Amino acid sequence: MKKLIDIITERMQAAFTECGYDGSYAKVVLSNRPDLCEYQCNGAMAAAKVYKKKPIEIAAQVVDVVMAEAEVSGGKVFSEIDAVMPGFINLRLDESYLADYMNEMRSADKFGLEEPGHGETVIVDYGGANVAKPLHVGHLRSAVIGEAVKRMGNYLGYHMIGDVHLGDWGLQMGLIIEELRDRQPELVYFDENYTGEYPQEAPFTIGELEEIYPAASAKSKKDDTFRARAQEATFRLQNGYEPFLAIWKQIMKVSLADLKKNYDNLDVHFDLWKGESDAEEYIPWLIQDLQDQGLAYESEGALVVDIAQPGDRKELPPCIVRKSDGAALYATSDLGTIIEREKDFSPVKYVYITDKRQELHFIQVFRVAKKAGYVKPEIPMIHIGFGTMNGKDGKPFKTRDGGVMRLEHLIADINEAVYGRIMENRTVSEDEAHETARIVGLAALKYGDLSNQASKDYIFDIDRFTSFEGNTGPYILYTIVRIKSILAKYRALEQETNEGKILPAKSGTEKAVILLLARYSEVMETAFEETAPHKICQYIYELSNAFNSFYHETKILTEEDKERRAGWIALVMLVKDVLEACIGVLGFSAPERM
Ligand code: ARG
């Protein structure tokens, strides 16, 4: 289906052109004065300068043509169109036209959304967990935002490939290996003369592994020899030393099982479980190629590529691709990964989601990738740098004793808070309340994050996030649940599911709901184009508010006019379906009751 905004714009364009003005002046926007109109066109003001006329004259002329046109074609889109001083064109949409549009939306696939994607591959690099280090709230944002972006793209017809891009090749591995040596020197991995097979069983459980890494990390800060040993072990691992590769595989196995469980709990699912280690095989070629192309050169022992460009607002340092000790870096592994992704998928777009403190890193990596010709110039490479999740004190979120909050604990806290609220309502059994709390808790957590523009810091406030009122996940779910209950009552009453046709709106609140529904495709497309899930949150918040206002002033179930009542049922069902589609794309779902 054509987007409503496009239909309106085309009508205006035709009128501008017919009056002899360029069609580009016919841009239509949502009204910023909903008390006066629903949409508006301010193009007469700009046109006035070019055509040396009064803006109001142009506006009036255009309005006349639109009205005359509607009489001839009978296709009435506007109920009101006015030229007002100094030259605005105010528009209101026709109720019958909108009702038809609604009924078409209801029967169309994806509510009439025309998929802009045709299976083109887009890489979303998100999650970014570091193996053997526990997932903490810092990784939460990447997982939540990335999952939404991936689902948004799939919904629009793109072939989204989500890659967790694990940190699985860094110093933490050497730290764990050397700590393990200190604790269990008898393990065969540390016997230089051992030639047999390595054991199937890991020499640690996940619980032990989680304790080993922080212990080793703390030790390395006090003990320089230990740190040097860990660096040496990392270096040997990265250069293919068999025994360490064997331990590494065990670390990966144990850690991945745990990571998967955690991501599953967040309803976050990756298509690829690749990591920095997978880039390794491309690095020798990469380094050679950058040198052959004359892009990489020696600087203070390191190998670097200049990335500064004319027009840069600040001075950008070169990208270091090899350190003086020969070690590869974060940027090198990201470039290696790009080469692999080009080979495997040649994506039409890349999206990376990390903390915004990594901004420079991604500018460097993207510029090297383009400069060296690994990625075609027209392919967008986007870094979504998100802000920090802070506690109520405005400082980065910590546990009560000041430690880094673990994701599982955070989820447990949220679920407990939601459980409390559900039990206050006392509409469900204790068992159901636990299951419901899990569903609603996830919505509280994800919506609390996604409803903010990603780049902004936000305050993690359990009380606010779990509230059933205000701009929260539970509020949206509550609205859906409310509609489900209306529908169930209607079915019981009517003994049937046939919900009739949406009729022209009778009240302002009803029309407000319809106008919002009509924007669905436009919102979904824009949100993906701008990689802005918060725009979908904003939309469902407005839609929920509009629905609730309508609901409070309309006696749906006791309406005597059966056709009208069935029409309202059809309308609220559409609201529910649209809300559910939106939250599905955002990565959470609604319970039956709450
Ligand atoms: N592991 C990294 C971190 O924890 C994030 C990885 C992000 N993705 C990437 N391709 N660099 O900071």
Side-chain angles (χ1 to χ4, degrees), residues 125 128-130 139 165-167 276 330 334 352 354 358 361-362:
D125 180 311
N130 298 314
H139 291 109
H165 198 79
L166 298 168
E276 292 174 2
Y330 189 39
D334 264 324
Y352 292 76
T354 76
Q358 296 194 25
H361 165 77
F362 284 103

Side-chain angles (χ1 to χ4, degrees), residues 76 132 160 194 208 330 337 345 384 442 452 463 467 491:
K76 197 170 170 208
M160 306 297 285
Y194 184 77
E208 285 159 354
Y330 189 39
T337 305
F345 308 109
I384 301 296
L442 191 65
N452 304 286
D463 289 335
S467 169
R491 274 172 207 144

Side-chain angles (χ1 to χ4, degrees), residues 275-306:
E276 292 174 2
S277 65
D278 292 289
E280 198 56 18
E281 58 178 295
Y282 302 92
I283 290 177
W285 179 88
L286 169 78
I287 298 286
Q288 189 60 50
D289 184 65
L290 289 172
Q291 285 174 303
D292 291 349
Q293 291 201 47
L295 292 172
Y297 63 93
E298 297 266 348
S299 166
E300 294 164 34
L303 197 65
V304 306
V305 179
D306 285 333

